[in-house]
Amino acid sequence: MSERGSKGNAIAPSTYRSWLQEASGQYILQSDQQRNSTLDAFIEISNAAQLYHLSRKLDVLLKRDFIRLLPTEVTFKLINYLDWRTLLRCCLVSKCWNQVICSCVVVWKRSCKQLGLQISTEQDSGHFYKNVFLSMLSRIEMFQNGTAFETVNLVGHMDRVMAIYYRDGKIATGSDDRTVRIWSCEDGQCLRVLETHTVADVKFDNNMVVTASFDNTAASWEMATGHQTQLYIGHVAAVYTVDFDTNLNLLVTGSADEMVKIWSLSEGTLLRTLSQSEEGWVTKVVLLPHVPDSSSYTIVSAGGQSVNTRVLDLDHQSMNERNYWALSRCRSNLQLKNNKVFFVCSNSTKDCFLIQFSTMNDGMKRCTAISYSRDIHSLLGVGTKYTLFVSDNGDLCSLDIVETDTLKVITSMPIHEFRKSKRGSTFTACETSWLDGFDSNNDKGVIFASSLMDNSIHLVKWTKRNVQQHTDEMSCSLTE
């Protein structure tokens, strides 16, 4: 027997074939244990050339990579049956698997939809959809572990803040110190201070600020200079709520005198006075154009136990009016979305209900109610995917994000004690586009602002996502 590593002498081909045929026949007759012993003996006397040849044969026979060998369209068909967790595990197998799986647009687009993501533009890159998926998966898991939000306080007012309003990355706050402050949500800087009256409610756009006041008046102010452009005098009690539309040139106010008044925004003249359907303060008014007919507009008002919707023509005459009665008391705040009004009410046993109805002239329908297990202080926003509440659990309030369809609580974040207001003017939702589902960019900025007892403003902001850290942690968890 030759020593391992020697080349040996070649035998004649005919002799070799005869030997191989006889040896193969004997090998087939052996038991598994004998076959293993025969292979061990041959391996023992083989040199590097034979061992290398054996290794390559084993790779082909025992380590067949169907991802590498199959046509791409067949591979895509197969991986389309895998869920996202299995897909991510497969990406860890090899660079080839990761490249092929990441390039499959269909599976990652489907995974994004299953996660409830909203992607406005179509992409032909599987890598794009996978990155969006991982990014939003990171955000949803941050919901569950309580790290999705961070907080910051804005300091500047010298007296209680009774009005907060958000628009386009800025917050307006109105105070009993007779000022309105405009803040940047990005860096928390105070951009402008307007000298006003005591402020019960505030709205603004790029050019104008309007305020409702406890002194029974409303007013409009130039944003740039702080100059008062109009004073609206006519209510005989505190004006609690205000809204305006520059295109309609209208301003609407609601007051503790139980009246809703319609004003010329630019002239300050009173155009019409409307009474609420039930006795009680008017705590909320919303003015919006009537979309199907440009010659009319809609006013939604809330007070006491009722919510009223009025469709008026441009002469301010009523075309349609509906009154919706809450079971016991209507809680702040009214929320409007896609011509539907949402509000929260409670009955005598303190059960809370989410009420929905349409503002459309030809589409007003009977209210529908969905019970919710927590004591709701206020409804902040309603989306197709999520709904945002402030719930009151006695000494502690929390910011609740729930699934709109099932009202299952996704996360509940305790929030600082804020000034309580039946009007809902001392807190507000801010960025709410994510309520219709996440995309790759809408989980940024401030989602909630409230007035604290020390006269500061408390902001709840999204924390930044660390997608790479999440990817590394996911890879570790999948391989455990």
Side-chain angles (χ1 to χ4, degrees), residues 49-62:
Q50 285 84 58
L51 293 176
Y52 177 70
H53 175 76
L54 179 62
S55 175
R56 294 194 63 184
K57 280 288 187 181
L58 289 174
D59 277 341
V60 174
L61 293 173
L62 300 181

Side-chain angles (χ1 to χ4, degrees), residues 306-324:
S306 67
V307 176
N308 292 4
T309 64
R310 297 178 175 93
V311 180
L312 298 97
D313 61 26
L314 297 186
D315 292 325
H316 319 297
Q317 300 303 308
S318 297
M319 299 170 59
N320 194 300
E321 182 173 340
R322 291 290 187 275
N323 304 323
Y324 294 90

Side-chain angles (χ1 to χ4, degrees), residues 235 237 255-260 274-276 278-282:
H235 285 289
S255 168
D257 63 11
E258 304 178 5
M259 298 295 175
V260 174
L274 306 169
S275 60
Q276 192 72 0
E278 184 208 0
E279 292 184 0
W281 298 349
V282 180

Side-chain angles (χ1 to χ4, degrees), residues 43-89:
I43 290 172
E44 181 66 28
I45 62 176
S46 297
N47 59 26
Q50 285 84 58
L51 293 176
Y52 177 70
H53 175 76
L54 179 62
S55 175
R56 294 194 63 184
K57 280 288 187 181
L58 289 174
D59 277 341
V60 174
L61 293 173
L62 300 181
K63 301 179 182 179
R64 290 188 176 182
D65 189 342
F66 74 91
I67 292 286
R68 189 188 299 271
L69 297 176
L70 288 175
T72 302
E73 58 272 17
V74 177
T75 300
F76 284 177
K77 182 69 174 178
L78 291 174
I79 64 178
N80 194 44
Y81 291 100
L82 305 179
D83 60 38
W84 64 265
R85 289 186 179 276
T86 306
L87 288 171
L88 291 177
R89 288 191 181 97

Side-chain angles (χ1 to χ4, degrees), residues 192-449:
R192 190 164 285 106
V193 179
L194 286 73
E195 299 291 335
T196 62
H197 44 190
T198 58
V199 181
D201 195 17
V202 62
K203 299 286 191 307
F204 71 93
D205 62 15
N206 292 333
N207 303 311
M208 180 183 296
V209 177
V210 298
T211 54
S213 177
F214 297 106
D215 67 5
N216 305 349
T217 69
S220 59
W221 318 79
E222 285 185 353
M223 174 69 81
T225 65
H227 174 70
Q228 184 184 93
T229 56
Q230 285 296 339
L231 186 65
Y232 308 90
I233 302 176
H235 285 289
V236 295
V239 182
Y240 283 146
T241 177
V242 65
D243 200 5
F244 73 106
D245 189 305
T246 54
N247 293 326
L248 293 171
N249 191 30
L250 293 178
L251 179 136
V252 179
T253 54
S255 168
D257 63 11
E258 304 178 5
M259 298 295 175
V260 174
K261 292 183 180 291
I262 306 171
W263 312 79
S264 167
L265 178 63
S266 59
E267 300 298 327
T269 54
L270 179 63
L271 302 175
R272 184 161 182 204
T273 298
L274 306 169
S275 60
Q276 192 72 0
S277 60
E278 184 208 0
E279 292 184 0
W281 298 349
V282 180
T283 57
K284 186 72 172 180
V285 292
V286 179
L287 169 64
L288 65 159
H290 198 55
V291 178
D293 184 354
S294 59
S295 63
S296 64
Y297 61 95
T298 301
I299 294 176
V300 182
S301 60
Q305 294 176 271
S306 67
V307 176
N308 292 4
T309 64
R310 297 178 175 93
V311 180
L312 298 97
D313 61 26
L314 297 186
D315 292 325
H316 319 297
Q317 300 303 308
S318 297
M319 299 170 59
N320 194 300
E321 182 173 340
R322 291 290 187 275
N323 304 323
Y324 294 90
W325 295 81
L327 298 177
S328 177
R329 69 183 181 93
C330 179
R331 304 188 176 198
S332 57
N333 288 353
L334 288 179
Q335 299 295 327
L336 279 78
K337 184 179 180 65
N338 299 330
N339 297 309
K340 292 181 180 179
V341 178
F342 299 85
F343 66 94
V344 171
C345 67
S346 63
N347 60 17
S348 57
T349 60
K350 296 185 178 182
D351 295 324
C352 292
F353 297 86
L354 176 62
I355 308 297
Q356 168 191 321
F357 60 88
S358 174
T359 64
M360 303 299 288
N361 187 27
D362 57 352
M364 293 189 177
K365 299 179 180 178
R366 183 169 172 265
C367 297
T368 57
I370 304 173
S371 63
Y372 181 59
S373 59
R374 301 190 179 202
D375 186 10
I376 299 173
H377 181 279
S378 180
L379 173 65
L380 294 177
V382 179
T384 56
K385 181 67 176 178
Y386 302 109
T387 295
L388 187 62
F389 291 120
V390 171
S391 63
D392 191 348
N393 302 312
D395 296 334
L396 182 65
C397 286
S398 61
L399 196 61
D400 292 352
I401 299 173
V402 304
E403 291 182 347
T404 297
D405 291 340
T406 65
L407 293 185
K408 174 186 176 183
V409 178
I410 303 299
T411 188
S412 182
M413 174 186 176
I415 52 180
H416 284 269
E417 182 181 0
F418 55 86
R419 290 188 184 276
K420 299 294 178 65
S421 168
K422 293 181 179 180
R423 301 180 294 114
S425 63
T426 54
F427 52 88
T428 185
C430 299
E431 291 291 344
T432 57
S433 62
W434 58 274
L435 293 175
D436 288 327
F438 291 114
D439 59 27
S440 57
N441 294 306
N442 64 358
D443 60 331
K444 298 177 182 178
V446 176
I447 73 162
F448 178 73

